[in-house]
Amino acid sequence: MTDWTINDAEELYGIPCWSDGYFGVGDDGKLLAVPDVAGGQQPIALIDVVNELRADGVQLPVVLRFHDVLKHRVRQLNDTFVTAIANNDYDAPYRGVYPIKVNQMREVVDEVVAAGRPYNYGLEAGSKPELMAVLTYDLPEDALIICNGYKDADYMRLALLGRKIGRKVIVVIEEFGEIETLLRLADEMNIEPLIGLRIKMRTKAEGRWSHSSGERAKFGLPISGMLNAIDLINARGYGESIQLLHFHIGSQLSDIRFVKEAVQEAARIYARLFKRGVPLNYLDIGGGLAVDYEGSRSNNHSSMNYSMADYADGVVFDIKQICDLEDVPHPTLVSESGRAVSAHHSCVVMEVIGEISNNANPVAMGPVEGEHILVSNLRDLLSGLHDEQNYQDSYHHASVLLSDVYHAFKLGILKLEELARAETLYWRVVSSIASMLDTMDHVPEELAEMQVAIKSQYLCNFSLFQSAADVWAIDQVLPVVPLSRLDEPPTKKGTLADITCDSDGRIVQFIGPQSTTPTLPLHEVGENEPYYLGLFLTGAYQDVMGDTHNLFGRLNEAHVFVDADDPSGFYIEEFVPGSSAAQVLQVMQYNPAAMASKVKEMLDRKVAEGTLRSRDGVKLVDFYEASLSGYTYLHNAEG
Ligand SMILES: *Cc1c(COP(=O)(O)O)cnc(C)c1O
C-alpha cells in the first residue's frame, strides 16, 4: 500500500463529491478548508486551527465556522440567480431572503447580511423571537423581510413596527383568520401593511418533507380561501397591499422535478390572480434548494439530482414562460434558501477517545483440563479455519455453539471462566472469518452484517443529539473525515459512538467512494497523538437544533477567517465558549450556587464528624465548584 496518495484519501471519503470545493487534502495529509474556491487564497489546515485552540486551552468538541465559506455561499446564490435572469431575458430582479431558522447565530446572520448587501438580500422570520432579531438589522431599502409561520397579534404588531421603521416587511398569511387581526392592527397603528398570501400547493414533494404540501399541509390557503381572502382584503380597503404570492413545499428537495412542478403551479396561479386585478409584484418560491450531503448526485434524501445553477435556471425559465404565455409582467423573484446557504460553513471537530470492541480484553484460550466439550468444539473450529473453506458454514457452526454455551451457562453446566473462554474463542473465530472475507469480491449479506458487527465502535467525545440531531432523527448522512494522516492509508474500519448514555447516539452510515457504507475507514489511533475527526456540513439546522440530552450543552465555537498575511493562512477572530455545566443545569431549574453550598454543607458535616480532613474537604468543595463552571463534555486527555 505504499502507492497510497492523497487523491486516494479524497476519493475514499468522497470529498470532491460532497464538499462543493470547500474542502480538500493537502500534500502533508492534513484536511484543508478551501474558503476561497476560486483559488486565490491559501487553504486552511483544520488541524492547525484545532492545535491553536488547544494551545489556548480550548476544550473539544468544538465548532469551527468558516466565515469566508458563508460569504461565498451568499454571493454564489445571488450571482447564480442574476446569471439565470440574464440568460433567460427575465424582466425582474431576484430578491432572496435568508430564513434565519436554519442558523440564527448572530455572527452567522451578521455575515449573511453583510455579504448580501450588494444584492439587496433580505431575511425571513418564522416566529416572534426570530422577527425581533431580524428587525435589528440595517438592511438595504429594497431588501425584504418575510414573515412566515402562524401569527398572533403581537407577531403582526412587530411586523408593522418594522414598516414604521421603513423596512419592507411582508406578512405572509398562512391561515384565513390571520387577515382580520392584521387589518385591525393596520387600522389601529395607521400603517399600510405589505401582504403575502401562501398557497396550499397541490404539488406534493416526495421524501422527508412531503407533508409540507398537498391537501393535508399545515400551512397555506387553498384557491377558494385565497379568493375569499382577496375579497375580504379588498372590501376593507387594503387591496393594494397584496403584493406577494408564496409557497414552500418542503426542505431538501432532492428531485428537481418537484421543484419544476411546484413553480409551474404557482406561476400559473400568480398570472391568473394578476389578471383578476390583484397587484402582485413578488413571487416567493420558498426554500427547498437541497445540499448534496452524500455526494451521490441522486434523488436520495441526503442528496440532490441537480445543481444550484440548474435550480435557478429552471425556476426563472418556467416563471418567464408562463408569465409570457399569460401576458403578465415577470414578478420579482424571491427564494428562501436556507440549507444551501449555511450548511457548508461549519463543522464539528471531535476527538476519538476510545475503542469499543468485542475482541477487547480476551482471556487465555488454551485448553483446560476437564473443560466442557462446547468450549473445546469452539477451539477446534478456530484451529480448523482455513482459506478455501465454506465461510458461511463455519460462521453458522460458531453461532450455534455460542448459543449452546449461553444455554449451558444458564442451566448451571458451565463455569464463568468457561463462558469467558468460549466468548473469546467465538470472537476470534468471527474476526478470522471476517479477515478472510476482506479479499472476497462478493460477500453474502449475512456475512457482510457479521463483518460490520465485528468492527470496533470508536468512542468520540461529542453528543449526536446536540451536534447532529438529524443523523438520529431522520437518518441524515453527514460526511466524517479524519483531520490528519490522510497521506497514510487507513488500516481500520469502524462505526462511531458518542458519549451520551443512549444507544442511539451513534453514527452507522458513512459516505464512501461509490455509495454510503456502514463503516468509516480510520487510522490506528496512537497512544500519544490525538486523533481528530471532523463532522461536516453541519451549518444548517444541526448547529442550532441540538438538544441537551444527558445535559451535554452547546459547543465551544471558533470563528475562523482567511488571512493571506498570516503564515498559517488564517486567524481566529472570535471564540465563543460553549455551555458550562451550571448553565445547562439552570435551564432545568437547578440553582448552581445552592447546589454548591449544599455539597459544602454535606462535606462540612463529615469534617465535623471527623471522617474527613478539613484540607481534603476544602479541596473537594473547590473541585465541585470548578466542575460547575466547566465544560459539559469530557475533558481532553492531557487536561
Ligand atoms: C424551513 C423553511 C425554509 C428554508 O428551507 P431550506 O430547505 O432550508 O431552504 C424556507 N421557507 C419556509 C417557509 C420554511 O419553513
Side-chain angles (χ1 to χ4, degrees):
M1 289 291 266
T2 47
D3 52 357
W4 176 264
T5 68
I6 56 166
N7 292 340
D8 295 322
E10 288 190 330
E11 198 192 330
L12 183 67
Y13 294 103
I15 299 171
C17 299
W18 59 258
S19 75
D20 253 7
Y22 296 116
F23 297 95
V25 179
D27 290 333
D28 51 3
K30 291 179 179 175
L31 191 69
L32 302 175
V34 191
D36 182 18
V37 269
Q41 310 258 31
Q42 189 184 339
I44 301 170
L46 274 76
I47 193 153
D48 294 350
V49 179
V50 172
N51 287 337
E52 181 169 325
L53 287 166
R54 298 273 320 246
D56 288 345
V58 173
Q59 293 282 309
L60 263 56
V62 65
V63 171
L64 302 184
R65 287 193 195 289
F66 294 99
H67 280 249
D68 302 273
V69 171
L70 194 54
K71 249 184 262 179
H72 186 267
R73 292 305 281 186
V74 172
R75 289 193 197 130
Q76 188 181 18
L77 177 71
N78 281 281
D79 286 338
T80 304
F81 269 101
V82 168
T83 306
I85 281 170
N87 289 347
N88 288 283
D89 289 323
Y90 190 84
D91 277 339
Y94 172 69
R95 291 277 177 275
V97 290
Y98 169 71
I100 73 164
K101 75 156 186 235
V102 164
N103 194 323
Q104 301 101 336
M105 284 285 299
R106 185 178 50 75
E107 293 87 344
V108 171
V109 183
D110 286 355
E111 196 66 73
V112 167
V113 168
R117 189 169 297 283
Y119 304 95
N120 290 304
Y121 192 54
L123 296 169
E124 186 260 10
S127 67
K128 278 185 281 188
E130 286 189 354
L131 181 55
M132 285 181 231
V134 161
L135 285 176
T136 61
Y137 283 93
D138 214 350
L139 294 171
E141 208 176 308
D142 279 339
L144 301 178
I145 293 176
I146 309 266
C147 303
N148 289 320
Y150 288 124
K151 299 165 201 76
D152 63 5
D154 282 346
Y155 189 161
M156 298 198 203
R157 267 189 203 105
L158 285 167
L160 294 172
L161 182 161
R163 294 286 296 138
K164 291 264 187 202
I165 54 177
R167 297 277 182 278
K168 276 212 166 78
V169 185
I170 303 184
V171 177
V172 175
I173 301 296
E174 306 270 9
E175 187 258 320
F176 201 86
E178 292 177 355
I179 299 169
E180 196 56 55
T181 318
L182 178 64
L183 300 185
R184 175 173 57 82
L185 292 171
D187 283 342
E188 262 174 44
M189 294 172 72
N190 190 25
I191 181 112
E192 180 93 6
L194 295 175
I195 302 177
L197 298 174
R198 177 161 178 176
I199 317 169
K200 182 171 253 171
M201 295 288 283
R202 301 282 312 170
T203 302
K204 205 163 153 45
E206 271 172 8
R208 290 287 169 197
W209 282 272
S210 57
H211 47 269
S212 305
S213 56
E215 281 114 60
R216 301 279 300 152
K218 204 165 85 167
F219 294 116
L221 302 166
I223 295 299
S224 57
M226 180 94 46
L227 296 183
N228 285 332
I230 291 163
D231 286 347
L232 174 61
I233 296 167
N234 275 327
R236 297 283 296 271
Y238 283 103
E240 290 306 304
S241 294
I242 310 175
Q243 303 222 341
L244 176 141
L245 195 64
H246 172 272
F247 74 87
H248 170 75
I249 62 164
S251 195
Q252 184 67 10
L253 300 173
S254 297
D255 192 335
I256 187 104
R257 280 173 300 182
F258 297 111
V259 176
K260 288 186 76 71
E261 274 186 39
V263 164
Q264 288 168 9
E265 180 183 344
R268 192 67 73 177
I269 297 170
Y270 179 93
R272 293 292 164 92
L273 288 177
F274 189 91
K275 289 209 268 198
R276 281 174 63 105
V278 185
L280 290 169
N281 186 19
Y282 299 96
L283 179 55
D284 180 348
I285 62 169
L289 174 55
V291 166
D292 198 351
Y293 293 96
E294 63 174 47
S296 65
R297 300 192 172 131
S298 69
N299 61 356
N300 292 349
H301 76 261
S302 294
S303 186
M304 62 201 281
N305 63 5
Y306 58 95
S307 67
M308 190 188 276
D310 296 337
Y311 176 84
D313 201 67
V315 165
V316 172
F317 177 87
D318 285 343
I319 297 175
K320 175 186 155 78
Q321 187 162 66
I322 289 170
C323 289
D324 288 350
L325 288 170
E326 295 271 359
D327 203 20
V328 304
H330 302 163
T332 294
L333 205 59
V334 181
S335 81
E336 306 174 344
S337 295
R339 189 185 291 279
V341 168
S342 71
H344 296 77
H345 89 280
S346 82
C347 62
V348 173
V349 175
M350 56 208 187
E351 187 174 356
V352 176
I353 53 169
E355 188 178 335
I356 306 164
S357 161
N358 286 319
N359 258 327
N361 305 309
V363 296
M365 295 185 295
V368 171
E369 179 93 26
E371 78 180 355
H372 197 277
I373 188 161
L374 285 170
V375 183
S376 13
N377 281 352
L378 270 166
R379 188 177 304 100
D380 293 346
L381 183 63
L382 177 64
S383 57
L385 284 178
H386 58 89
D387 270 348
E388 287 90 38
Q389 73 193 43
N390 183 337
Y391 302 119
Q392 212 157 356
D393 190 49
S394 308
Y395 173 56
H396 292 156
H397 195 164
S399 307
V400 171
L401 279 170
L402 185 69
S403 141
D404 287 349
V405 160
Y406 285 131
H407 285 305
F409 176 72
K410 262 201 294 195
L411 295 174
I413 297 164
L414 280 193
K415 300 195 199 74
L416 263 181
E417 289 73 16
E418 286 174 315
L419 177 58
R421 215 169 324 128
E423 280 183 334
T424 296
L425 284 162
Y426 170 82
W427 286 111
R428 192 57 67 87
V429 169
V430 169
S431 57
S432 303
I433 296 174
S435 60
M436 291 172 190
L437 292 173
D438 278 344
T439 56
M440 272 173 69
D441 285 338
H442 177 74
V443 178
E445 195 177 317
E446 180 183 38
L447 294 185
E449 280 167 19
M450 178 211 81
Q451 261 180 313
V452 173
I454 187 76
K455 297 295 185 222
S456 292
Q457 297 183 62
Y458 288 83
L459 193 59
C460 299
N461 188 11
F462 86 117
S463 158
L464 189 75
F465 306 91
Q466 174 62 244
S467 296
D470 282 347
V471 171
W472 170 71
I474 57 166
D475 288 333
Q476 171 84 62
V477 186
L478 290 177
V480 183
V481 188
L483 297 197
S484 60
R485 296 172 61 187
L486 295 164
D487 51 351
E488 300 168 31
T491 51
K492 312 266 277 192
K493 278 183 178 174
T495 57
L496 304 182
D498 76 1
I499 55 169
T500 66
C501 301
D502 198 312
S503 20
D504 267 0
R506 56 200 196 125
I507 306 182
V508 294
Q509 208 183 357
F510 302 94
I511 292 152
Q514 265 96 43
S515 58
T516 55
T517 66
T519 53
L520 180 73
L522 291 160
H523 302 88
E524 187 82 49
V525 181
E527 289 280 297
N528 302 319
E529 208 191 332
Y531 190 67
Y532 301 117
L533 296 177
L535 181 66
F536 291 89
L537 305 183
T538 56
Y541 302 104
Q542 313 309 299
D543 260 1
V544 292
M545 277 199 334
D547 66 29
T548 52
H549 191 20
N550 266 153
L551 298 187
F552 290 116
R554 286 196 61 81
L555 271 59
N556 286 330
E557 269 196 39
H559 294 250
V560 187
F561 288 76
V562 172
D563 183 2
D565 295 334
D566 190 280
S568 60
F570 71 89
Y571 71 100
I572 297 167
E573 188 188 75
E574 197 176 1
F575 169 68
V576 185
S579 317
S580 65
Q583 284 168 333
V584 290
L585 284 161
Q586 249 162 343
V587 173
M588 293 293 152
Q589 297 281 58
Y590 291 87
N591 176 339
M595 290 165 73
S597 58
K598 186 89 194 168
V599 169
K600 180 172 183 307
E601 208 180 286
M602 292 188 282
L603 287 164
D604 283 349
R605 209 175 308 144
K606 293 297 165 196
V607 171
E609 285 169 11
T611 52
L612 183 69
R613 288 183 16 198
S614 303
R615 181 186 298 275
D616 294 339
V618 169
K619 266 197 196 140
L620 288 171
V621 169
D622 288 350
F623 164 71
Y624 186 86
E625 283 173 353
S627 299
L628 278 171
S629 54
Y631 202 26
T632 57
Y633 294 86
L634 301 189
H635 215 268
N636 303 145
E638 61 270 45

